[in-house]
Amino acid sequence: MIVEPSPPQFILAPPHPINVFAGSSLNLTCKATGLPRPAISWYKDGQPVTRGSINRVKEISLLPLKNVQPHDQGEYWCEAENAEGWSRTSTTPLKCKSFVNNFCPHLRLTN
């Protein structure tokens, strides 16, 4: 069987939107097929996410977000690239919700 080269195509992409409570943890995941196997990169608000923050498990790219805080809010997406082309997931907005004064100390109750 001869397999033809093919551009990246996402078969798993982050859901959107994502609303999480401050202090919680989650994994953003994506997976792309293609030949040769595409390299996957993550972005937040248009800036590349540091590769050291990204894990790969069984062809799935995981971006773990631990102890989510307001500075983690933003728009996330993944891009896949190989010699045959490029693809990008849709944007996933992440919002940090808070339990008043418990997890987001910058929020204050006013009378």
Side-chain angles (χ1 to χ4, degrees):
M1 181 169 114
I2 298 174
V3 180
E4 296 286 324
S6 60
Q9 181 176 9
F10 281 97
I11 58 174
L12 175 64
H16 76 344
I18 299 174
N19 295 303
V20 296
F21 284 109
S24 61
S25 298
L26 70 133
N27 287 317
L28 298 179
T29 59
C30 70
K31 179 179 180 180
T33 60
L35 189 65
R37 182 170 70 176
I40 295 178
S41 302
W42 283 91
Y43 291 82
K44 177 188 179 245
D45 296 330
Q47 299 299 314
V49 174
T50 307
R51 283 211 178 274
S53 303
I54 302 166
N55 300 314
R56 191 172 183 108
V57 178
K58 294 184 180 182
E59 307 290 321
I60 297 174
S61 180
L62 300 168
L63 177 59
L65 298 174
K66 309 260 189 244
N67 189 25
V68 173
Q69 297 299 316
H71 66 267
D72 294 312
Q73 294 186 118
E75 295 185 340
Y76 291 82
W77 68 85
C78 356
E79 294 182 0
E81 183 175 9
N82 67 12
E84 298 299 311
W86 171 88
S87 185
R88 174 184 156 168
T89 62
S90 57
T91 301
T92 299
L94 174 75
K95 295 199 187 229
C96 172
K97 296 184 173 214
S98 66
F99 296 116
V100 178
N101 246 7
N102 288 345
F103 290 112
C104 291
H106 70 285
L107 298 176
R108 303 274 182 236
L109 285 176
T110 57
N111 294 345

